[in-house]
Amino acid sequence: HKAQQMKAALRRLSHLDAKAYDLDAVDLFRNDEKFFEIVPADVELIIETTASLQVLIASSVSNALTASPVRLARTALFGQGRCAVLILEAEGRKARVDDITAFLFEMCRWIPALRAGMAGIATDPRRIFVGDNCRSLTTPMADALISRSASMVAIQAQKWISEGKPSSGQLCLGVCDSSNIASSWNVLEVGNTTVLDILDDGGWQIRVLAHVTKAIEEDACRWGHFETGGALLGRVSYEARTITIAGIVAAPPDSVRSESTFVLGAQGLVQSLTDAHAASVGHLMFVGTWHSHPMGGTHSGIDKDTLKKIATEGRGLPAVSLVWTPQGLICAVDRW
């Protein structure tokens, strides 16, 4: 009898009910029929651990995932294991994995310890030889670091499954201190992304992260009837035809504000953008400008000329002109 009880207990600890599928994750997210066959609606959570940019893009634009009630989480290690990241999408994909990934690098601008952990000591992958003639391009890291990071991620995922997942997007960060022994675990809430579908330049989806929308609105309200503005930081994905706006750089002191126009100054702007790019560990870049129209209205002729000038200097990169109005955000995209 005891032997039977022990057998039953060990069976519950095993993976006998687990199923293995030999397929490409990119194909899974792109093939609606295959997705719904493998991922039924009652699945608690999808945890994506490939650290692949192709998988990130495929999951971000997946129609099947958008139609499914199943939530997506993504985890990865950075800085030779010094930084563990776990992302949970918001309900209804109101903040997607690509949005929260961009938010991660925006946070690097403001949290020095996170920036140091993400950058690591030597981030370039190296060729590791195994045996006489086998080799792999990889980023070496200690087993102990991987185990510690994996345990933090597993505990958080189990907490979501057992206690319930929050409706908002989540960015979870496990960062080692300078000793590389102690580590912290912080959970940041990510608000809903504002999505603007633009027909310009063959069609783009502009995704403005929640904290950017809030900062723009606060600045516009602060200046009242005067137009104001600044520079935008973000990430361009040609594969997904998406421009994610993840941060702003304040207008330089020589900017001109009036009731009918805003002129973005040049004093220190290039250096500020360069510093912001470096502080985001090279992930975010200058993608355009924003300004306010307190009285409403669409892009003026001056706005369009300014956008064309920025696009010309961008050498083929798409440039964004984002306008705040009391009725909401409007956007235009140009590329030279």
Side-chain angles (χ1 to χ4, degrees):
H1 181 66
K2 287 184 177 180
Q4 291 297 324
Q5 287 182 325
M6 182 64 73
K7 182 179 179 180
L10 290 173
R11 185 183 182 88
R12 286 194 295 270
L13 294 174
S14 71
H15 297 279
L16 292 178
D17 294 330
K19 297 179 181 179
Y21 297 92
D22 184 14
L23 50 84
D24 191 320
V26 172
D27 295 335
L28 174 68
F29 287 121
R30 288 180 174 171
N31 187 319
D32 293 5
E33 184 177 344
K34 187 178 296 183
F35 181 91
F36 289 113
E37 174 190 343
I38 293 175
V39 186
D42 60 352
V43 166
E44 283 286 351
L45 193 66
I46 300 172
I47 303 179
E48 191 263 287
T49 62
T50 66
S52 162
L53 182 59
Q54 286 185 319
V55 175
L56 172 61
I57 293 170
S59 62
S60 298
V61 299
S62 172
N63 293 324
L65 194 55
T66 300
S68 172
V70 181
R71 302 273 290 277
L72 173 66
R74 186 173 203 259
T75 187
L77 300 183
F78 296 88
Q80 294 78 48
R82 291 183 61 200
C83 185
V85 175
L86 176 62
I87 290 168
L88 175 66
E89 288 193 337
E91 277 186 353
R93 311 203 77 190
K94 292 178 181 177
R96 294 191 321 203
V97 281
D98 51 337
D99 300 331
I100 305 175
T101 299
F103 180 69
L104 162 66
F105 288 97
E106 166 68 4
M107 287 299 97
C108 289
R109 293 177 60 198
W110 311 108
I111 308 175
L114 173 61
R115 181 166 65 248
M118 290 285 290
I121 301 168
T123 56
D124 293 334
R126 287 180 275 168
R127 293 196 179 277
I128 305 298
F129 285 82
V130 181
D132 291 332
N133 200 31
C134 295
R135 60 183 177 175
S136 174
L137 185 66
T138 187
T139 302
M141 61 186 75
D143 287 344
L145 287 179
I146 297 174
S147 298
R148 179 178 59 189
S149 298
S151 66
M152 291 191 292
V153 168
I155 290 169
Q156 182 63 69
Q158 183 59 48
K159 184 179 176 68
W160 285 334
I161 293 171
S162 61
E163 300 178 13
K165 297 177 285 293
S167 60
S168 62
Q170 305 281 296
L171 173 61
C172 308
L173 304 169
V175 183
C176 291
D177 64 9
S178 57
S179 71
N180 218 23
I181 297 175
S183 63
S184 61
W185 185 258
N186 294 295
V187 180
L188 306 179
E189 184 175 306
V190 184
N192 295 343
T193 300
T194 298
V195 180
L196 305 170
D197 291 311
I198 307 299
L199 298 178
D200 302 344
D201 188 39
W204 288 91
Q205 184 177 90
I206 312 302
R207 302 183 65 84
V208 188
L209 301 194
H211 72 281
V212 175
T213 302
K214 182 180 179 182
I216 287 175
E217 179 142 4
E218 288 177 349
D219 196 31
C221 293
R222 186 182 306 119
W223 285 95
H225 293 296
F226 284 76
E227 292 192 9
T228 185
L232 299 171
L233 293 172
R235 184 82 173 171
V236 178
S237 171
Y238 286 98
E239 298 86 350
R241 299 295 293 181
T242 296
I243 302 173
T244 306
I245 299 175
I248 59 176
V249 170
D254 59 333
S255 300
V256 178
R257 296 175 175 87
S258 72
E259 293 188 358
S260 59
T261 187
F262 169 75
V263 180
L264 184 66
Q267 184 179 334
L269 180 60
V270 172
Q271 188 60 51
S272 295
L273 291 170
T274 301
D275 292 345
H277 174 69
S280 71
V281 201
H283 190 83
L284 303 180
M285 59 180 288
F286 172 63
V287 292
T289 61
W290 77 271
H291 67 282
S292 62
H293 282 180
M295 304 306 292
T298 59
H299 284 79
S300 66
I302 295 176
D303 295 338
K304 293 178 180 178
D305 290 342
T306 302
L307 176 60
K308 186 170 290 293
K309 181 181 178 181
I310 295 173
T312 302
E313 295 175 352
R315 300 178 181 179
L317 292 172
V320 172
S321 175
L322 193 66
V323 175
W324 178 91
T325 75
Q327 293 76 38
L329 294 172
I330 59 175
C331 190
V333 175
D334 201 353
R335 182 160 51 129
W336 188 256

